[in-house]
Amino acid sequence: MLVALVLVALLAPDTDNNVTYQALPLLLFLMVVAVCLSRLSRGRFSATRVLPRFGTAGRPLEYRIVVKNLSPEHRAA
C-alpha cells in the first residue's frame, strides 16, 4: 500500500499523460481509514512452532504452528 501510494504520488502531477492523479485521493483515503481502524483493535497473539524431533536435509519438514489469542476480551472463562 505504501509503495503504491508513493508511486501514485510521484506520477500524479502529470495530469495530461496519465490518470494516476485519480488514484491518489482513493489510496490516501484507504490508508487513513486503515490506520484509524488499526488503532481500534489491538490484538495480542502468540505463535509457537511444534517441530518434530528429527528432520532430513533436502526433504520437506511438516510441523504445526499453535496460535494463541492473548487479548483479554477473547479469553475463555
Side-chain angles (χ1 to χ4, degrees):
M1 182 74 178
L2 288 175
V3 172
L5 191 61
V6 170
L7 183 64
V8 168
L10 291 174
L11 296 174
D14 186 15
T15 58
D16 293 333
N17 294 326
N18 59 38
V19 292
T20 56
Y21 66 93
Q22 294 175 347
L24 183 62
L26 176 65
L27 288 174
L28 193 59
F29 173 75
L30 289 175
M31 181 65 82
V32 168
V33 168
V35 168
C36 290
L37 291 178
S38 71
R39 301 289 182 213
L40 293 178
S41 64
R42 291 269 185 182
R44 291 182 42 212
F45 299 95
S46 168
T48 306
R49 291 186 291 181
V50 181
L51 299 171
R53 191 165 176 184
F54 298 103
T56 303
R59 302 288 312 249
L61 180 69
E62 293 184 12
Y63 60 91
R64 296 182 320 156
I65 300 175
V66 178
V67 179
K68 293 181 183 176
N69 187 356
L70 302 176
S71 298
E73 59 263 357
H74 289 90
R75 291 194 180 190

